[in-house]
Every structure is written in structure tokens, then in C-alpha cells.
Amino acid sequence: MCSHLIMFTVALANIPRGCVAPLVDALYQGYNGTVLAYGQVLVFIANGSEEMETISIIDVLRRAKAEVIDASVEDAKETIGSRKVKIVADMLLNEASKLSYDLIALPGGIPGAKKFTSSETLVEMLKKQKFSKKSCGAICASPALVLEPHGLLEYGLFSGG
């Protein structure tokens, strides 16, 4: 049950003063609180990615005011999900690999996860993310098929379900 809700739309640089300070004040008054703040987020998609997992990641983070970019690991921006739903990416993997991200997210879907794990560029981006101590999230098949084979689960920077 939510007894108190504080909604903020501020720049990341202003989170400590603009968001966290009022939240801490509310905690002293007996309220529970959580801060979720991500700046630049990359969500990978491939043919065979699970549509609900892909769209849910993008939708929830955009509603939380994160800047979300989705990138196709295919040769084209248009992908076909595991249930034959077309999803058009913002950009291709090669373009996405030139940028930096606060969070990289991988949806599930076995065919899509297999495509992710076979992409050297994607795997190198995940390793760079780990060594930069930045976040990565993975759902369903992606932790087992993408993260684990490349030794990316052991440091606790990744989550999956």
C-alpha cells in the first residue's frame, strides 16, 4: 500500500537535492521510499525477442523519465518478435555501440537471446558495462543464454528472472 507518493521530474544532476533530500525527510516521518533514476538506457532487440518483455522494459523506464534507446542486433531496424509482432528499433547495434549507457537491458525470448550471445559487439558492450560498474538487466532466457556463458553473472551487477 502506498501511503505517500513523491513524484519528481528533475535532471540527474539535481537528484540528490531535488529528490533524495525530500525522500529522506519523508523517511524520518515514517514513510517508505525508493529512488529509481537512470539516465541513458539501451534495450537490445533481435528477431525472436519476447515482445512483452521488450516493450515492458521500454515502457516502464520511459514512464520513469529515463532516456531509452532500443537497438537492433539484426541487419535492419525492423525485428520480428517471438510471437511475430514487428518492433522497429531506434538504431542498429553498430551505432548504439558508439554511445555510453547507465543501464543496458536484455529482454528474453530464446531465439533473441541466442542472437544476443552470438554478437561479439553486444558482449563487449556488456563487459565494458561491468568493468565500468554500470548496471545491466536481463529477463527470462537472457541471463542464462547471454550473461552466464560470458562470465557476467558472478559480480552481482546483473539481474534476471
Side-chain angles (χ1 to χ4, degrees):
M1 183 172 153
C2 180
S3 58
H4 190 72
L5 177 63
I6 303 172
M7 303 239 349
F8 297 97
T9 305
V10 297
L12 286 176
N14 295 329
I15 286 175
R17 183 177 49 256
C19 295
V20 178
L23 180 63
V24 171
D25 290 340
L27 292 173
Y28 282 120
Q29 297 172 25
Y31 295 105
N32 294 324
T34 301
V35 174
L36 170 64
Y38 282 107
Q40 185 91 357
V41 178
L42 174 63
V43 179
F44 281 114
I45 58 175
N47 289 330
S49 290
E50 211 292 329
E51 295 91 343
M52 291 296 290
E53 294 165 5
T54 303
I55 298 304
S56 294
I57 295 168
I58 295 167
D59 181 59
V60 168
L61 290 174
R62 283 186 177 162
R63 288 174 189 241
K65 305 300 184 206
E67 183 181 340
V68 181
I69 296 170
D70 48 282
S72 170
V73 300
E74 305 295 342
D75 294 331
K77 290 182 181 179
E78 185 176 287
T79 62
I80 306 295
S82 61
R83 304 296 181 267
K84 308 301 179 216
V85 175
K86 291 181 185 178
I87 301 174
V88 180
D90 297 319
M91 63 180 65
L92 297 175
L93 171 64
N94 289 338
E95 185 180 354
S97 68
K98 297 173 185 170
L99 303 172
S100 176
Y101 304 95
D102 299 300
L103 170 68
I104 295 177
L106 303 171
I110 291 173
K114 287 180 177 178
K115 185 75 174 193
F116 296 156
T117 201
S118 68
S119 168
E120 289 181 24
T121 302
L122 184 150
V123 171
E124 286 306 312
M125 289 178 72
L126 293 173
K127 289 178 179 179
K128 179 181 174 186
Q129 195 81 354
K130 179 186 87 170
F131 290 117
S132 299
K133 298 193 184 302
K134 293 186 176 181
S135 298
C136 185
I139 297 176
C140 192
S142 286
L145 297 180
V146 184
L147 303 181
E148 195 281 327
H150 298 286
L152 296 170
L153 283 177
E154 62 195 69
Y155 294 96
L157 297 174
F158 301 97
S159 63

